[in-house]
Each structure stands twice: as structure tokens, then as C-alpha cells.
Amino acid sequence: MAVPTYDQFIEPVLRYLVQHPDGVPARQAHEAAADALRLTEEDRQQPLPSGAQLMYKNRAGWAHDRLKRAGLSGSPRRGIWKATPEGLRFAAEHPGPFTAELAQQLATGYPDVKLRQSNGPALVQPPLPTCAPLHCESVASPDDRLGQALLELRQSAESELLELLANVSPAFFETIVLDLLHRMGYGANRADLQRVGGSGDAGIDGIISLDRLGLEKVYVQAKRWQACVGRPDLQAFYGALAGQKAKKGVFITTSTYSSQAMDFARSVEGIVLIDGARLAGLMIDHEVGISSRTVRIPKIDSDYFEDEAS
């Protein structure tokens, strides 16, 4: 099953805190909420799109944030979650399972409420906002929205890259491929990657020297194609490698490979296949024809406050 959105973590987190009125470590609340939602071990290993944190822990954390903003829970000290008197009373007034509307109201109703210090006066629960079920947007945490936005931006860049690659000249495409392989760490310097494509190239478009003396080489074929690459194309490339007494070859295309072509590559040693989707992804990862911008996202440095907390 998919990990539920953070609004669905609100009730199990609150119920667990109510059962432990003296407060609990956050990690216990994470696991209790996951147990209540019947998350499998596979679910619990699912990371955020950014890879920065496990998804269920992140969503439990955002659920607690919303409970704090609603005045129903607090953090008396670092890493400890505790239901407030208002939270105990709210849970008693809502003994049955929360409706989807109530969970969503708690999740979205108090984004502008400023959190008080743990030793300050208790927050008074504001009145719940009205929200028609059919007009409420689906709930996603800020981390989820950020991850989805990054994914959409990456997918858009990959699609645009493939369109651009489809229109470059074959010679320039071979240069792009060698630039990418160099960015990936192949060859001591760019001069170690040589473009040899052209008539009489015997199916070889580039050569990578893995050492300064050129004793070990990788041969490259780069095809700016729209049609699917079939088994005969790979057999011809494999024959060209044998003619060069080469042990390693990389076949890169802007299109895809047939199942027979992939079976052939698996049946022999030393051939790596890269299709268009993977090529675009590698160009983004290694910033070939791509530039990136840095977005500063604030995150509390708990180590900075460690001495004060102790």
C-alpha cells in the first residue's frame, strides 16, 4: 500500500499521545502511528522523493506540527511529544474515528498559527474552520509538495532534452555522449575521449582511454535514432568490438531497445546499454547541457542546541 498522506497520521498520533499523557519520544509516536495505519515494512522503508528522510516519519512529523498549531499537542523538550489539556479534551469529545473532513480541517486549518515556546502559555484551540468536503484540496505536506515539484521539473527537463537531442546532428550527438562520459568520470581528462565516428568507423563512434597509456579502452556507439534499436544493431556493434579486440563497449541511443536486443546484451559480456530516458537522466545528474539553481530550505540544526538541551 502507499504511505498515507500526513492528514491521516493526525488521529493515530493524537490517540497515542493521549494514551501516554506524560509524553513520549517522537520515534515511538512514529512507530505507533505506522502500526495503527498498518504500514508494512516495505512502506516504512519508502523515502521521500528527495531521499532526505523516511516518508512515514516525515508525515508523522507534519501531523504533530499540525496538532501543535491546533493547540492539541506540544514538545515540552526536544524530541518529546505530549498531548496538551486541550488535546486530551478534544480526543474525549471525538471518541470515534475522525471523519476525513475533520482530519483535513486539522491539517489545513491553522497554517498561520505561530507556535509558542514549550514553557509559555498553552495554546487555546481556535475554532475549526468550515470546509466543504468536495471543495477541499487533497492534503500533501510541504515536503511532499516540494518533492512532487522537483519530480515534475525533472520530468519536464528530461522530455525537453530528448526533443533537443532528436534534432542535433549525429556528429554533435557523439560529442555530447563523450562529454557526458567524461563528466561521469571516464578518462583522466577530456583528451582521453576521442570521437572517431564517420565513414569506415566500423560501428565505433568514440573511444575512451581509461588509463594514461591507453592500455584499457572502452568503445562507444552513439545513435541519434527514433526507431527502436534491434538485436542486429547490437550484434554488429559486438562484431566491431571483436574486430578491435575490445572487451568493453557502451551503446547509447536516444530511442529504446527491443527485448531481443536487451536479451542479446545480457548474453554477452562487456556491453552496457543506455536508452533515451536513461541518457536524459544522466545528463541532468551530471549537468551536461543542463544548469541548476540552488534553493535554500531552512532546517533546524538540532546539534546546535544540544548543549542547551542537556
Coordinates of all heavy atoms in Angstrom, one line a residue, residues 90-157:
F90 N -10.1 17.4 23.5 CA -10.6 17.2 22.1 C -10.8 15.7 21.8 O -11.7 15.3 21.2 CB -9.6 17.8 21.2 CG -10.0 17.8 19.7 CD1 -10.8 18.8 19.2 CD2 -9.6 16.7 18.9 CE1 -11.1 18.8 17.9 CE2 -9.9 16.7 17.6 CZ -10.7 17.7 17.0
A91 N -9.8 14.9 22.2 CA -9.9 13.4 22.0 C -11.1 12.8 22.7 O -11.8 11.9 22.1 CB -8.6 12.7 22.4
A92 N -11.4 13.3 23.9 CA -12.5 12.8 24.6 C -13.8 13.2 24.0 O -14.8 12.4 24.0 CB -12.5 13.3 26.1
E93 N -13.8 14.4 23.3 CA -15.1 14.8 22.7 C -15.3 14.2 21.3 O -16.3 14.3 20.7 CB -15.0 16.4 22.5 CG -15.1 17.1 23.8 CD -14.8 18.6 23.7 OE1 -14.4 19.0 22.5 OE2 -14.9 19.4 24.6
H94 N -14.2 13.6 20.8 CA -14.3 12.9 19.5 C -13.8 11.4 19.7 O -12.7 11.1 19.2 CB -13.4 13.6 18.4 CG -13.9 15.0 18.2 ND1 -13.5 16.1 19.0 CD2 -14.7 15.5 17.2 CE1 -14.1 17.2 18.5 NE2 -14.8 16.9 17.4
P95 N -14.6 10.6 20.4 CA -14.1 9.2 20.7 C -14.1 8.3 19.5 O -13.3 7.4 19.4 CB -15.1 8.8 21.7 CG -16.4 9.5 21.4 CD -15.9 10.9 20.9
G96 N -14.9 8.6 18.5 CA -14.9 7.7 17.3 C -13.8 8.1 16.3 O -13.2 9.1 16.5
P97 N -13.7 7.3 15.3 CA -12.7 7.7 14.3 C -13.0 9.1 13.7 O -14.1 9.4 13.4 CB -12.8 6.6 13.2 CG -13.5 5.4 14.0 CD -14.4 6.0 15.0
F98 N -11.9 9.8 13.4 CA -12.1 11.1 12.8 C -12.6 11.0 11.4 O -12.2 10.0 10.7 CB -10.7 11.9 12.7 CG -10.2 12.4 14.0 CD1 -9.0 13.0 14.0 CD2 -10.9 12.2 15.2 CE1 -8.4 13.5 15.2 CE2 -10.3 12.7 16.4 CZ -9.1 13.3 16.4
T99 N -13.6 11.8 11.0 CA -14.0 11.8 9.6 C -12.9 12.4 8.8 O -12.0 13.1 9.3 CB -15.3 12.7 9.5 OG1 -15.0 14.0 9.8 CG2 -16.4 12.2 10.4
A100 N -13.0 12.2 7.5 CA -12.0 12.7 6.6 C -12.0 14.2 6.6 O -11.0 14.9 6.5 CB -12.2 12.2 5.2
E101 N -13.2 14.8 6.8 CA -13.3 16.3 6.8 C -12.7 16.8 8.1 O -11.9 17.8 8.0 CB -14.8 16.7 6.8 CG -15.6 16.3 5.6 CD -15.9 14.9 5.4 OE1 -16.0 14.2 6.5 OE2 -16.2 14.4 4.3
L102 N -12.8 16.2 9.2 CA -12.2 16.7 10.5 C -10.7 16.6 10.4 O -10.0 17.5 10.8 CB -12.7 15.9 11.7 CG -12.1 16.2 13.0 CD1 -12.3 17.7 13.3 CD2 -12.7 15.4 14.1
A103 N -10.2 15.4 9.9 CA -8.7 15.3 9.7 C -8.2 16.4 8.8 O -7.1 16.9 9.1 CB -8.4 13.9 9.2
Q104 N -8.9 16.7 7.7 CA -8.4 17.7 6.8 C -8.5 19.1 7.4 O -7.6 19.9 7.1 CB -9.2 17.6 5.5 CG -8.6 18.4 4.4 CD -9.2 18.1 3.0 OE1 -10.4 18.3 2.9 NE2 -8.4 17.7 2.1
Q105 N -9.5 19.3 8.2 CA -9.6 20.6 8.9 C -8.4 20.8 9.8 O -7.8 21.9 9.9 CB -10.9 20.7 9.6 CG -12.1 20.8 8.7 CD -13.5 20.6 9.4 OE1 -13.5 20.3 10.6 NE2 -14.6 20.7 8.7
L106 N -8.1 19.8 10.6 CA -6.9 19.9 11.5 C -5.6 20.1 10.7 O -4.7 20.8 11.1 CB -6.8 18.6 12.3 CG -7.9 18.5 13.4 CD1 -7.8 17.1 14.0 CD2 -7.8 19.5 14.5
A107 N -5.6 19.4 9.5 CA -4.3 19.5 8.7 C -4.2 20.9 8.0 O -3.0 21.3 7.9 CB -4.4 18.4 7.6
T108 N -5.2 21.5 7.6 CA -5.1 22.7 6.8 C -5.7 24.0 7.5 O -5.6 25.0 6.9 CB -5.9 22.5 5.5 OG1 -7.3 22.3 5.8 CG2 -5.3 21.3 4.7
G109 N -6.2 23.8 8.7 CA -6.9 25.0 9.3 C -6.1 26.0 10.0 O -6.5 27.1 10.3
Y110 N -4.8 25.6 10.4 CA -4.0 26.5 11.2 C -2.6 26.8 10.7 O -1.6 26.9 11.5 CB -3.9 25.9 12.6 CG -5.2 25.4 13.1 CD1 -5.4 24.0 13.1 CD2 -6.2 26.2 13.6 CE1 -6.6 23.5 13.6 CE2 -7.4 25.7 14.1 CZ -7.6 24.4 14.1 OH -8.8 23.9 14.5
P111 N -2.4 27.0 9.4 CA -1.0 27.2 8.9 C -0.4 28.5 9.4 O 0.8 28.6 9.5 CB -1.2 27.2 7.4 CG -2.6 27.7 7.2 CD -3.4 27.1 8.3
D112 N -1.2 29.5 9.8 CA -0.7 30.8 10.2 C -0.5 30.9 11.7 O -0.1 32.0 12.2 CB -1.6 31.9 9.7 CG -1.6 31.9 8.1 OD1 -0.6 31.6 7.5 OD2 -2.7 32.3 7.6
V113 N -0.9 29.9 12.4 CA -0.8 29.9 13.9 C 0.7 29.8 14.3 O 1.3 28.9 13.9 CB -1.6 28.8 14.6 CG1 -1.4 28.8 16.1 CG2 -3.1 29.0 14.3
K114 N 1.2 30.8 15.0 CA 2.6 30.7 15.5 C 2.7 29.8 16.7 O 1.9 29.9 17.6 CB 3.1 32.1 15.8 CG 3.2 33.0 14.6 CD 3.8 34.4 14.9 CE 3.9 35.2 13.7 NZ 4.5 36.6 14.0
L115 N 3.7 28.9 16.7 CA 3.9 28.0 17.8 C 4.5 28.8 19.0 O 5.5 29.5 18.8 CB 4.8 26.9 17.4 CG 4.2 26.0 16.3 CD1 5.2 24.9 15.9 CD2 2.9 25.4 16.7
R116 N 4.0 28.5 20.2 CA 4.6 29.1 21.4 C 5.7 28.3 21.9 O 5.9 27.1 21.6 CB 3.5 29.2 22.5 CG 2.2 29.8 22.1 CD 2.4 31.3 22.0 NE 1.1 32.0 21.6 CZ 0.2 32.3 22.5 NH1 0.4 32.1 23.8 NH2 -0.9 32.9 22.1
Q117 N 6.6 28.9 22.7 CA 7.6 28.2 23.4 C 7.0 27.1 24.3 O 5.9 27.3 24.9 CB 8.5 29.1 24.2 CG 9.3 30.1 23.3 CD 10.2 31.0 24.1 OE1 10.1 31.0 25.3 NE2 10.9 31.8 23.4
S118 N 7.7 26.0 24.5 CA 7.2 24.9 25.3 C 6.9 25.4 26.8 O 6.0 24.8 27.4 CB 8.2 23.8 25.3 OG 9.4 24.2 25.9
N119 N 7.6 26.4 27.3 CA 7.4 26.8 28.7 C 6.4 28.0 28.7 O 6.2 28.6 29.8 CB 8.7 27.1 29.4 CG 9.5 28.2 28.7 OD1 9.1 28.6 27.6 ND2 10.5 28.7 29.3
G120 N 5.9 28.4 27.6 CA 5.0 29.5 27.5 C 3.6 29.1 27.8 O 3.3 27.9 28.1
P121 N 2.6 30.0 27.7 CA 1.2 29.7 28.0 C 0.7 28.7 26.9 O 1.1 28.7 25.8 CB 0.5 31.0 27.9 CG 1.4 31.9 27.0 CD 2.8 31.4 27.4
A122 N -0.2 27.9 27.4 CA -0.8 26.8 26.5 C -1.6 27.5 25.4 O -2.2 28.5 25.6 CB -1.7 25.9 27.3
L123 N -1.5 26.9 24.2 CA -2.3 27.4 23.1 C -3.8 27.1 23.3 O -4.1 26.0 23.7 CB -1.8 26.8 21.8 CG -0.5 27.2 21.2 CD1 -0.1 26.3 20.1 CD2 -0.5 28.7 20.8
V124 N -4.6 28.0 23.0 CA -6.0 27.8 23.1 C -6.5 27.3 21.7 O -6.2 27.9 20.7 CB -6.8 29.1 23.5 CG1 -8.3 28.8 23.5 CG2 -6.3 29.5 24.8
Q125 N -7.3 26.3 21.7 CA -7.7 25.7 20.4 C -8.6 26.7 19.6 O -9.6 27.1 20.2 CB -8.4 24.4 20.6 CG -8.9 23.8 19.3 CD -9.9 22.7 19.5 OE1 -10.0 22.2 20.6 NE2 -10.6 22.3 18.5
P126 N -8.2 27.1 18.4 CA -9.0 28.0 17.7 C -10.3 27.2 17.2 O -10.2 26.0 17.1 CB -8.1 28.5 16.5 CG -6.8 28.0 16.9 CD -6.9 26.9 17.8
P127 N -11.3 27.9 16.8 CA -12.5 27.2 16.2 C -12.1 26.6 14.9 O -11.4 27.1 14.1 CB -13.5 28.3 16.0 CG -12.7 29.6 15.9 CD -11.5 29.4 16.8
L128 N -12.6 25.4 14.7 CA -12.4 24.7 13.5 C -13.0 25.4 12.3 O -14.1 25.8 12.4 CB -12.9 23.3 13.5 CG -12.2 22.3 14.5 CD1 -12.9 21.0 14.5 CD2 -10.8 22.1 14.1
P129 N -12.3 25.5 11.2 CA -12.8 26.2 10.0 C -13.8 25.3 9.3 O -13.8 24.1 9.4 CB -11.6 26.4 9.1 CG -10.7 25.3 9.5 CD -10.9 25.1 11.0
T130 N -14.8 25.9 8.6 CA -15.7 25.1 7.9 C -15.1 24.8 6.5 O -14.3 25.6 6.0 CB -17.0 25.9 7.6 OG1 -16.7 27.1 7.0 CG2 -17.7 26.2 8.9
C131 N -15.3 23.6 6.1 CA -14.7 23.2 4.8 C -15.6 22.1 4.2 O -15.8 21.1 4.7 CB -13.3 22.6 5.1 SG -12.5 21.9 3.7
A132 N -16.1 22.5 3.1 CA -17.0 21.5 2.3 C -16.1 20.4 1.8 O -15.1 20.7 1.1 CB -17.7 22.2 1.2
P133 N -16.5 19.1 2.0 CA -15.7 18.0 1.6 C -15.3 18.0 0.1 O -14.2 17.7 -0.2 CB -16.5 16.8 2.0 CG -17.5 17.3 3.0 CD -17.7 18.7 2.7
L134 N -16.2 18.4 -0.7 CA -16.0 18.4 -2.1 C -15.1 19.5 -2.6 O -14.6 19.5 -3.7 CB -17.3 18.4 -2.9 CG -18.2 17.2 -2.7 CD1 -19.5 17.3 -3.5 CD2 -17.5 15.9 -3.1
H135 N -14.8 20.5 -1.7 CA -14.1 21.7 -2.2 C -12.7 21.7 -1.5 O -11.9 22.6 -1.8 CB -14.8 22.9 -1.9 CG -16.1 23.1 -2.6 ND1 -16.2 23.3 -3.9 CD2 -17.4 22.9 -2.2 CE1 -17.5 23.3 -4.3 NE2 -18.2 23.1 -3.2
C136 N -12.4 20.8 -0.7 CA -11.1 20.7 0.0 C -10.1 20.0 -1.0 O -10.4 19.0 -1.5 CB -11.1 20.0 1.3 SG -11.9 20.9 2.6
E137 N -8.9 20.6 -1.1 CA -7.9 20.0 -2.0 C -7.3 18.8 -1.2 O -7.3 18.8 0.0 CB -6.8 21.0 -2.3 CG -7.3 22.2 -3.2 CD -6.2 23.2 -3.5 OE1 -5.1 23.0 -3.0 OE2 -6.5 24.1 -4.2
S138 N -6.7 17.9 -2.0 CA -6.0 16.8 -1.3 C -4.9 17.3 -0.5 O -4.2 18.3 -0.8 CB -5.5 15.8 -2.4 OG -4.7 16.4 -3.3
V139 N -4.6 16.6 0.6 CA -3.6 17.0 1.6 C -2.2 16.5 1.2 O -2.1 15.3 0.9 CB -4.0 16.6 3.0 CG1 -2.9 17.0 4.0 CG2 -5.3 17.2 3.4
A140 N -1.3 17.4 1.1 CA 0.1 17.0 0.9 C 1.0 17.9 1.8 O 0.8 19.1 1.9 CB 0.5 17.1 -0.6
S141 N 2.0 17.3 2.4 CA 2.9 18.0 3.3 C 3.8 18.9 2.4 O 3.9 18.7 1.2 CB 3.7 17.1 4.1 OG 4.7 16.5 3.4
P142 N 4.4 20.0 3.0 CA 5.3 20.8 2.2 C 6.4 19.9 1.6 O 6.8 20.2 0.5 CB 5.9 21.8 3.3 CG 4.7 21.9 4.3 CD 4.1 20.5 4.3
D143 N 7.0 18.9 2.3 CA 8.0 18.1 1.8 C 7.5 17.3 0.6 O 8.2 17.1 -0.4 CB 8.6 17.1 2.8 CG 9.5 17.8 3.8 OD1 10.5 18.3 3.3 OD2 9.2 17.9 5.0
D144 N 6.2 16.8 0.7 CA 5.6 16.1 -0.4 C 5.5 17.0 -1.6 O 5.7 16.6 -2.8 CB 4.3 15.5 0.0 CG 4.4 14.4 0.9 OD1 5.4 13.7 0.9 OD2 3.5 14.2 1.8
R145 N 5.0 18.2 -1.4 CA 4.8 19.2 -2.5 C 6.1 19.6 -3.1 O 6.2 19.7 -4.4 CB 4.0 20.4 -2.0 CG 2.6 20.2 -1.5 CD 1.8 21.5 -1.4 NE 2.3 22.4 -0.5 CZ 2.1 22.5 0.8 NH1 1.2 21.6 1.3 NH2 2.6 23.4 1.6
L146 N 7.1 19.7 -2.3 CA 8.4 20.1 -2.8 C 9.0 18.9 -3.7 O 9.5 19.1 -4.8 CB 9.4 20.4 -1.7 CG 10.9 20.6 -2.1 CD1 11.0 21.8 -3.0 CD2 11.7 20.8 -0.9
G147 N 8.8 17.7 -3.1 CA 9.3 16.5 -3.9 C 8.6 16.3 -5.2 O 9.2 16.0 -6.2
Q148 N 7.2 16.6 -5.2 CA 6.5 16.5 -6.4 C 6.9 17.5 -7.4 O 7.0 17.2 -8.6 CB 5.0 16.6 -6.1 CG 4.1 16.4 -7.3 CD 4.2 15.0 -8.0 OE1 4.4 14.0 -7.3 NE2 4.1 15.0 -9.3
A149 N 7.1 18.7 -6.9 CA 7.5 19.8 -7.8 C 8.9 19.5 -8.5 O 9.1 19.7 -9.7 CB 7.6 21.1 -7.1
L150 N 9.8 19.0 -7.7 CA 11.1 18.6 -8.2 C 11.0 17.5 -9.2 O 11.7 17.5 -10.3 CB 12.1 18.2 -7.1 CG 12.5 19.3 -6.1 CD1 13.3 18.7 -4.9 CD2 13.4 20.3 -6.8
L151 N 10.1 16.5 -9.0 CA 9.9 15.5 -9.9 C 9.4 16.0 -11.2 O 9.8 15.6 -12.3 CB 9.0 14.4 -9.3 CG 8.6 13.2 -10.2 CD1 9.9 12.4 -10.5 CD2 7.6 12.3 -9.5
E152 N 8.4 16.9 -11.1 CA 7.8 17.4 -12.4 C 8.8 18.2 -13.1 O 8.8 18.2 -14.4 CB 6.6 18.3 -12.0 CG 5.4 17.5 -11.5 CD 4.2 18.4 -11.0 OE1 4.3 19.6 -11.3 OE2 3.3 17.8 -10.4
L153 N 9.6 19.0 -12.4 CA 10.6 19.8 -13.1 C 11.7 18.9 -13.8 O 12.1 19.2 -14.9 CB 11.3 20.7 -12.1 CG 10.5 21.9 -11.6 CD1 11.2 22.6 -10.5 CD2 10.3 22.9 -12.8
R154 N 12.0 17.8 -13.1 CA 13.0 16.9 -13.7 C 12.4 16.2 -15.0 O 13.0 16.1 -16.0 CB 13.4 15.8 -12.7 CG 14.5 14.9 -13.3 CD 14.8 13.8 -12.2 NE 15.7 12.8 -12.8 CZ 17.1 12.9 -12.7 NH1 17.6 13.9 -12.0 NH2 17.9 12.0 -13.3
Q155 N 11.1 15.7 -14.8 CA 10.5 15.1 -16.0 C 10.3 16.0 -17.2 O 10.5 15.6 -18.3 CB 9.1 14.6 -15.6 CG 9.2 13.4 -14.6 CD 7.8 13.0 -14.1 OE1 6.9 13.8 -14.1 NE2 7.7 11.7 -13.6
S156 N 10.1 17.3 -16.9 CA 10.0 18.3 -18.0 C 11.3 18.5 -18.6 O 11.4 18.5 -19.9 CB 9.4 19.6 -17.4 OG 9.4 20.6 -18.4
A157 N 12.4 18.6 -17.8 CA 13.7 18.7 -18.4 C 14.1 17.5 -19.2 O 14.7 17.6 -20.3 CB 14.7 19.0 -17.3

